[in-house]
Amino acid sequence: MAEYNYRIREKENAKEWQIKEEAGVHKGNVHSYFNEWVDEDQASESASEAPAPLQAERPSTSFGPRSRPFTRVTTQSQKVIYKRPPGKPKHKQAITFVKKRDNAARVAYRNGQPPSMVFDLGESLTDLEPSVARLQRTFEEIGVRFGSFVLPQRSLNEKKVSIWGNRRQVDETITELKRWRSCARTRHSGKESRPSNKDQFAKISSMTGDIWAADERTAKRDAERQHYQKAPQKGQQFKSNGYFLWPNDEIRAIDLFGPHCEALDPLRIEYRVYILFDEARSVFKIHSNSSAETVNQVIQRIENTIKEYVARDHRPATLLLIEPPSSTDYRPNVQIADGPFLGVSRAQSKIPILHGEKLDHDDISGLKKEVEKLALRNKGRTYGATQKVLERIPYYRGHLLMRVNFGTFALVKFQWPPGVPSVTLEKFTADVQSAGTKGTLIRNLRSNRAPQDIVNCCHQAGELFQAVSTNEESLADIPPQYAAMFYLRHPEKTDEMIQLEVTFTANNADGRDFEGSKALWIRGGKPDATTQAPPLEVFHIRLHRNSGISWQLRISAENTIDMSRITPRMEEFERGVRFKKPPADENPAVSGFKVFTSPPNLPIVGMEQKTTFRYSLKAQPSCIFELSRYDEYNGDDPRYPSSTQWAASLYDREWDVKLSDNARLGVGQSASWNPRTNPFFQPTHGPVSNGPHAGFTDFLLQVQAIAGFLDKLKGTSPYPEGTSTANEISQEAESGSDTTP
């Protein structure tokens, strides 16, 4: 695979390599590192031709012609030759780190052009808006909406703002600024006209001067940071300079970071450096008046963006594993029953169910070895896939969740022999693991019990669960947790769907008063370039005669909306969501009574109310089991649900603690946790099992125990036994329609 290596050759040619002279480089400059990309599968064969790979630089990959970085110091006389193998198409890049908030006006500001207009507001900015953060957010939103760029002056006491843009954009921006100024005056005048008891007491104003001075320093510091977003003046000299050679033929920098590398603005602001990209030479130039260590840190952060790109671009790990049935539930054949309609196309899914006669006693004794072998193989494949993903996602920025979800497994794309009512379990086990098979986990437990019976079953499962908090003496004292999930249209992009999830928890012992504890905005609707498939999905399919409860180990990346992109109307809607205390004779956890109200300033497409009971596992108190009820309200009576689903999930609180680091990562940063030194699966107190992966083995035992409990909670099967739809299955398989939900 030598042709896959980027070659480095020395060539003394001052005309082709004049970076040092052009940038005015002094002695002691910081040189960068170049990442050589080598196919991992052929790394051992090319070990004699290339330096040994740095294993710690980025997680390993396991598919296709993927790559691994090498590190080599370059000198002035060396030139990098980028060569793509003959016949190999250029990688289709669908991932970008840019938030796409830049426009032509901001680009003009970056290029150092003077403002198109200086507008006088008539009052100082602090008089109109005391909060510096809210003021900057307002100007940012105005610029995004009208295609302009608004920048305050150095001091918040000044009354003028600079505006970049064409004539139409400037006029619309000035009109919006006047409207904002009028609203700010009305808001402040309204506050002053309201009587207050504070007026009867003397005001303490000794800190007023310090507050104004702090605001002044904040404004000047922000103006200084914004200065580094522009290109430096030609011929400007710097104390330290660094270069990072970028593999532009594999990953285009302008596609990843934006035309002016605006995605690297946080690095410019944090380190006070200029970052430029020379596309002709495929090199990043870093100029700073600080020490060489600062430039080295910036180079390392830029290099880490490649590792994040690989983590996002990596093929998701998806496994479909058949969990061996018990000897009493074992049947030799598998049939298919009609399942619910899933996906955008609303195609009908299919539920696999065991079918046939029970085995004799002699056959059962011979089956135990096969069952143990299959269970051991499933455990190894699940652990291997999980560890590979966990080693890759420390560089993944975003809101990550790791959960075990329980429900009913449904096939959405598969092959079935035409005209055959059933197949053997061995054949189905092999076919379900083929590349063309796709499935999903339906969150609905499909229990035929009454809601009160479902809740009572969990309250009485003292051998499995215990209270999460020490304030509850028994499981029956655990108050539910309520959440409202609103599906809305974006206030500025009508073709884009968004989702708001607001959670309310009990703030007293009787569980009647609730207060908001968390709010999360999530993108919805059609996926875009930033929407990625879950990094990990491992399905354990439990085939029983009553379609047993299957489970799924899933690591997902929530497509959350950044705080800077939450508009004032969205903030107003979030603040307007209220918990309405139900009547004394109503129990919303049982009746599904609607307890949420919302403001009318955003159009609501749909709404779900989620009621959750949280229990801690007795065997492993750090693990939390959640039983949730989902209610939709589309019927004649808006107070009660038109449809209800029950769902269950399991997670370890340590998972959320570790993965929360990823939500706070900046550009080029990595999480502090390491899956090798700090594993995600810890053994229980007094390990149930021994061995190198005792913690993972104990985890699987807990999951299987809960799955068995949910089997009993579910009751009889809602699917008619012996319902075969082999002809329909064959027609769908031949059409090859993808019905991923």
Side-chain angles (χ1 to χ4, degrees):
M1 299 296 295
E3 69 269 21
Y4 281 89
N5 299 345
Y6 292 109
R7 298 175 297 168
I8 299 179
R9 62 182 176 87
E10 296 187 1
K11 187 174 181 180
E12 298 291 337
N13 192 335
K15 292 184 179 180
E16 295 184 353
W17 190 259
Q18 294 179 352
I19 299 179
K20 181 175 180 179
E21 287 76 12
E22 292 175 359
V25 180
H26 301 283
K27 291 184 180 180
N29 291 340
V30 181
H31 293 284
S32 67
Y33 298 108
F34 167 60
N35 290 327
E36 233 180 21
W37 297 81
V38 181
D39 186 352
E40 182 190 9
D41 296 335
Q42 303 296 332
S44 59
E45 299 179 7
S46 59
S48 59
E49 302 176 11
L54 299 182
Q55 298 288 350
E57 288 298 319
R58 108 170 200 216
S60 60
T61 59
S62 60
F63 75 98
R66 197 51 63 187
S67 47
R68 175 182 297 175
F70 280 68
T71 304
R72 180 176 293 178
V73 178
T74 61
T75 62
Q76 287 181 245
S77 60
Q78 289 179 325
K79 181 182 177 182
V80 179
I81 303 299
Y82 299 96
K83 181 179 179 181
R84 188 164 63 250
K88 180 183 178 183
K90 189 166 185 177
H91 179 68
K92 183 179 179 181
Q93 187 168 326
I95 298 174
T96 175
F97 293 169
V98 188
K99 295 182 180 178
K100 297 181 180 180
R101 297 180 71 85
D102 264 21
N103 49 37
R106 188 187 287 264
V107 170
Y109 164 75
R110 291 179 183 274
N111 294 335
Q113 298 180 13
S116 306
M117 174 72 71
V118 177
F119 178 65
D120 191 351
L121 290 170
E123 299 182 39
S124 64
L125 296 176
T126 50
D127 291 340
L128 295 173
E129 180 53 73
S131 173
V132 177
R134 192 177 295 114
L135 179 68
Q136 292 177 346
R137 217 164 41 237
T138 301
F139 286 167
E140 176 79 9
E141 289 299 330
I142 292 176
V144 171
R145 288 166 55 192
F146 299 103
S148 60
F149 180 63
V150 184
L151 183 66
Q153 300 295 323
R154 284 181 173 271
S155 173
L156 293 179
N157 291 328
E158 296 189 13
K159 305 176 182 180
K160 298 180 180 180
V161 293
S162 301
I163 305 174
W164 281 261
N166 57 34
R167 185 176 184 84
R168 180 185 59 81
Q169 294 168 347
V170 171
D171 292 342
E172 292 177 349
T173 302
I174 291 177
T175 303
E176 181 64 20
L177 287 174
K178 290 179 179 179
R179 190 194 66 81
W180 169 75
R181 180 183 60 187
S182 175
C183 293
R185 289 173 175 173
T186 303
R187 184 169 61 251
H188 293 319
S189 63
K191 288 183 178 180
E192 294 174 357
S193 62
R194 284 196 298 266
S196 173
N197 293 332
K198 294 181 180 179
D199 297 336
Q200 303 176 10
F201 301 91
K203 293 183 179 180
I204 301 176
S205 57
S206 60
M207 295 297 294
T208 303
D210 295 339
I211 295 175
W212 276 92
D215 290 341
E216 288 283 337
R217 289 193 299 268
T218 301
K220 291 180 180 179
R221 188 164 55 248
D222 292 339
E224 180 183 358
R225 290 172 178 176
Q226 289 174 349
H227 172 72
Y228 291 98
Q229 297 179 5
K230 300 190 295 185
Q233 297 180 359
K234 190 174 182 180
Q236 185 176 351
Q237 301 292 316
F238 299 96
K239 181 179 179 181
S240 302
N241 301 274
Y243 309 102
F244 181 77
L245 301 177
W246 182 267
N248 205 51
D249 195 59
E250 179 73 15
I251 310 171
R252 293 195 63 196
I254 61 174
D255 293 340
L256 191 64
F257 302 117
H260 296 269
C261 297
E262 52 266 25
L264 298 179
D265 281 352
L267 301 185
R268 295 182 172 110
I269 294 173
E270 180 179 353
Y271 294 99
R272 312 286 179 88
V273 298
Y274 292 98
I275 302 177
L276 308 174
F277 181 69
D278 187 345
E279 190 169 6
R281 297 183 176 90
S282 185
V283 62
F284 275 99
K285 302 177 183 179
I286 300 94
H287 307 302
S288 173
N289 287 319
S290 301
S291 62
E293 180 63 26
T294 300
V295 178
N296 272 330
Q297 293 176 6
V298 175
I299 290 175
Q300 183 61 48
R301 294 275 292 270
I302 296 177
E303 186 177 0
N304 284 346
T305 60
I306 299 179
K307 303 171 185 177
E308 181 185 357
Y309 175 86
V310 173
R312 291 179 176 273
D313 189 52
H314 203 286
R315 180 184 299 170
T318 303
L319 296 178
L320 302 179
L321 305 176
I322 301 297
E323 190 169 303
S326 63
S327 57
T328 56
D329 292 330
Y330 187 89
R331 300 294 187 275
N333 299 324
V334 176
Q335 280 191 341
I336 302 295
D338 291 338
F341 294 91
L342 302 174
V344 178
S345 60
R346 307 304 297 168
Q348 190 173 43
S349 62
K350 309 298 176 181
I351 310 295
I353 302 175
L354 288 179
H355 175 72
E357 300 295 331
K358 295 181 63 175
L359 297 180
D360 297 333
H361 179 73
D362 296 337
D363 296 332
I364 292 177
S365 59
L367 180 66
K368 291 182 179 179
K369 291 184 179 180
E370 295 296 329
V371 169
E372 294 176 357
K373 184 187 298 185
L374 181 58
L376 187 62
R377 184 164 65 247
N378 288 346
K379 171 190 170 183
R381 295 188 64 186
T382 303
Y383 180 80
T386 305
Q387 284 299 112
K388 285 183 179 179
V389 173
L390 290 177
E391 291 174 6
R392 192 166 62 243
I393 61 176
Y395 300 96
Y396 201 113
R397 288 182 298 137
H399 187 69
L400 294 175
L401 286 177
M402 186 171 176
R403 292 289 186 270
V404 176
N405 300 317
F406 298 90
T408 304
F409 178 80
L411 293 166
V412 295
K413 188 177 180 181
F414 48 97
Q415 295 288 337
W416 188 272
V420 178
S422 63
V423 297
T424 63
L425 178 59
E426 291 76 10
K427 177 175 174 52
F428 182 79
T429 302
D431 291 346
V432 81
Q433 297 178 9
S434 62
T437 303
K438 292 185 179 181
T440 187
L441 192 75
I442 305 172
R443 73 179 182 186
N444 194 358
L445 297 179
R446 294 183 173 271
S447 176
N448 59 355
R449 295 174 179 265
Q452 186 64 59
D453 292 340
I454 294 176
V455 176
N456 291 340
C457 285
C458 292
H459 288 344
Q460 297 169 5
E463 69 283 358
L464 274 179
F465 307 132
Q466 63 183 11
V468 177
S469 175
T470 56
N471 296 330
E472 292 91 16
E473 297 181 358
S474 65
L475 297 180
D477 297 332
I478 297 178
Q481 184 182 83
Y482 294 96
M485 293 178 289
F486 295 94
Y487 303 93
L488 314 164
R489 293 197 181 277
H490 198 283
E492 297 174 359
K493 304 174 184 178
T494 56
D495 59 339
E496 180 179 337
M497 295 291 297
I498 56 177
Q499 176 185 343
L500 171 64
E501 182 175 347
V502 185
T503 304
F504 285 76
T505 55
N507 59 0
N508 56 6
D510 60 4
R512 300 292 295 179
D513 294 329
F514 292 80
E515 61 181 1
S517 60
K518 184 178 68 172
L520 186 66
W521 286 95
I522 305 174
R523 291 185 183 88
K526 296 176 64 176
D528 54 17
T530 60
T531 303
Q532 299 296 313
L536 175 69
E537 280 187 310
V538 180
F539 297 89
H540 278 248
I541 307 168
R542 301 175 72 245
L543 299 176
H544 292 187
R545 282 179 60 82
N546 62 345
S547 181
I549 295 295
S550 300
W551 59 275
Q552 169 201 44
L553 177 60
R554 175 187 172 101
I555 299 178
S556 60
E558 296 291 342
N559 199 7
T560 56
I561 300 177
D562 189 79
M563 290 296 297
S564 63
R565 306 196 70 175
I566 297 178
T567 64
R569 289 181 63 187
M570 295 166 64
E571 289 183 346
E572 182 183 354
F573 184 88
E574 178 184 328
R575 291 193 299 266
V577 176
R578 294 286 184 267
F579 180 88
K580 182 177 62 177
K581 190 174 181 179
D585 57 344
E586 284 284 355
N587 184 2
V590 176
S591 63
F593 185 84
K594 189 175 182 179
V595 295
F596 289 103
T597 60
S598 59
N601 65 322
L602 286 180
I604 299 177
V605 179
M607 183 264 182
E608 272 188 323
Q609 180 172 297
K610 178 182 176 183
T611 308
T612 303
F613 291 91
R614 302 172 72 246
Y615 307 90
S616 176
L617 298 190
K618 263 194 172 181
Q620 198 162 0
S622 63
C623 288
I624 303 298
F625 172 76
E626 291 186 346
L627 179 72
S628 303
R629 169 178 175 151
Y630 293 85
D631 294 310
E632 292 185 5
Y633 302 88
N634 299 321
D636 297 333
D637 191 344
R639 299 176 302 168
Y640 295 96
S642 57
S643 63
T644 301
Q645 291 184 353
W646 289 88
S649 62
L650 175 71
Y651 68 96
D652 195 317
R653 281 180 284 194
E654 289 297 322
W655 298 351
D656 288 354
V657 172
K658 294 176 182 178
L659 294 178
S660 64
D661 286 354
N662 294 67
R664 297 187 293 267
L665 293 180
V667 177
Q669 291 181 331
S670 60
S672 59
W673 53 268
N674 188 325
R676 293 186 179 273
T677 59
N678 190 9
F680 273 60
F681 303 97
Q682 299 288 348
T684 58
H685 299 292
V688 179
S689 56
N690 298 317
H693 309 310
F696 187 75
T697 303
D698 293 344
F699 162 75
L700 290 181
L701 292 176
Q702 299 300 325
V703 173
Q704 292 170 0
I706 292 178
F709 166 76
L710 293 176
D711 278 337
K712 300 177 182 178
L713 183 67
K714 177 179 179 179
T716 59
S717 172
Y719 306 106
E721 183 179 350
T723 301
S724 176
T725 58
N727 293 331
E728 299 176 11
I729 297 166
S730 301
Q731 294 174 4
E732 291 185 12
E734 291 173 2
S735 62
S737 60
D738 187 357
T739 58
T740 303

